């Protein structure tokens, strides 16, 4: 059974993960409008990943006998000065998510909720990966600057990470 404090914090994180998906879809729309389909595909794949994170928390709350409380999702930013500024926003967003996960871990320790502490370890590892991958893209964009060839090469590289949900939804049943 989850304590009231832990349940409230997990529900808050669930809603943050749902916002994260919305946040990435907003940036994907920005990149699609700019003609950077590869950057857009990367953002769409990231949005799907964030939905997966939300589902993990959603299921965990129910597994522990809690009640899911969904909240409204604020409108994300959809315009940026450049691809670099968009990815800097992504990196800063992930740093914020990491801090939020760390606070959950601290609360689980404080509450002596060993099951939740163990559950959250996956998210801690995931955030290390999220920060590293987004920081690497920011670093590449700083090197590329405003050079169109470099931007289109990185766009093509990031486009290799394809979202999967759309393909699943459009599959025809046999």
């Amino acid at each position: 059974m989850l304590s009231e404090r832990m349940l409230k914090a997990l529900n808050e994180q669930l809603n943050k993960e749902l916002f994260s998906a919305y946040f990435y879809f907003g940036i994907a729309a920005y990149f699609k409008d700019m003609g950077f389909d590869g950057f857009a595909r990367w953002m769409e794949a990231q949005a799907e990943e964030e939905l997966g994170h939300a589902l993990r928390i959603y299921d965990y709350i129910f597994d522990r006998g809690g009640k899911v409380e969904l909240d409204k999702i604020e409108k994300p930013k959809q315009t940026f000065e450049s691809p670099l500024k968009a990815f800097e926003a992504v990196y800063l967003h992930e740093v914020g998510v990491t801090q939020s996960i760390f606070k959950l871990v601290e609360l689980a320790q404080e509450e002596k909720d060993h099951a939740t502490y163990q559950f959250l370890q996956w998210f801690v590892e995931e955030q290390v990966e999220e920060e590293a991958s987004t920081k690497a893209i920011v670093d590449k964009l700083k090197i590329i600057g405003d050079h169109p060839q470099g931007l289109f090469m990185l766009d093509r590289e990031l486009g290799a990470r394809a979202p999967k949900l759309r393909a699943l939804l459009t599959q025809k049943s046999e």
Side-chain angles (χ1 to χ4, degrees):
M1 192 92 189
L2 295 166
S3 71
E4 286 294 319
R5 285 177 65 205
M6 196 78 246
L7 177 60
K8 182 177 188 287
L10 285 168
N11 271 307
E12 287 171 0
Q13 189 63 39
L14 167 63
N15 285 286
K16 287 177 184 177
E17 298 293 343
L18 291 170
F19 171 76
S20 291
Y22 208 46
F23 172 78
Y24 282 110
F25 278 131
I27 300 174
Y30 159 75
F31 280 125
K32 276 194 178 281
D33 285 343
M34 288 189 63
F36 287 115
D37 291 340
F39 290 158
R41 286 170 55 94
W42 191 93
M43 293 293 173
E44 289 167 355
Q46 192 65 24
E48 288 179 1
E49 191 173 297
E50 299 301 333
L51 289 173
H53 297 172
L55 282 171
R56 277 180 182 259
I57 296 170
Y58 175 92
D59 288 342
Y60 183 77
I61 289 170
F62 281 114
D63 288 347
R64 293 294 308 276
K67 182 177 185 207
V68 167
E69 297 284 338
L70 298 176
D71 205 354
K72 66 181 176 183
I73 301 173
E74 71 179 87
K75 181 179 178 180
K77 184 175 179 178
Q78 285 185 251
T79 57
F80 298 89
E81 294 173 28
S82 66
L84 173 60
K85 294 294 183 192
F87 274 99
E88 285 176 336
V90 166
Y91 174 70
L92 290 175
H93 177 78
E94 290 299 341
V95 168
V97 171
T98 300
Q99 293 308 307
S100 182
I101 295 295
F102 287 172
K103 286 179 185 174
L104 279 173
V105 169
E106 290 168 9
L107 178 60
Q109 288 174 319
E110 186 180 312
E111 297 275 320
K112 295 184 179 16
D113 184 342
H114 303 291
T116 301
Y117 175 84
Q118 187 60 42
F119 169 74
L120 292 170
Q121 295 312 299
W122 181 89
F123 287 91
V124 170
E125 290 178 28
E126 179 70 8
Q127 284 309 120
V128 169
E129 178 188 314
E130 298 284 4
E131 284 189 31
S133 66
T134 55
K135 178 76 167 73
I137 296 168
V138 167
D139 291 345
K140 287 179 183 180
L141 284 167
K142 285 180 178 177
I143 292 166
I144 291 168
D146 292 331
H147 295 90
Q149 298 90 340
L151 287 171
F152 284 110
M153 286 176 66
L154 185 58
D155 180 63
R156 185 174 12 162
E157 176 187 327
L158 295 184
R161 180 180 181 212
K164 296 173 178 71
L165 185 58
R166 186 177 290 122
L168 289 173
L169 293 174
T170 57
Q171 284 181 351
K172 296 187 188 223
S173 57
E174 296 178 32

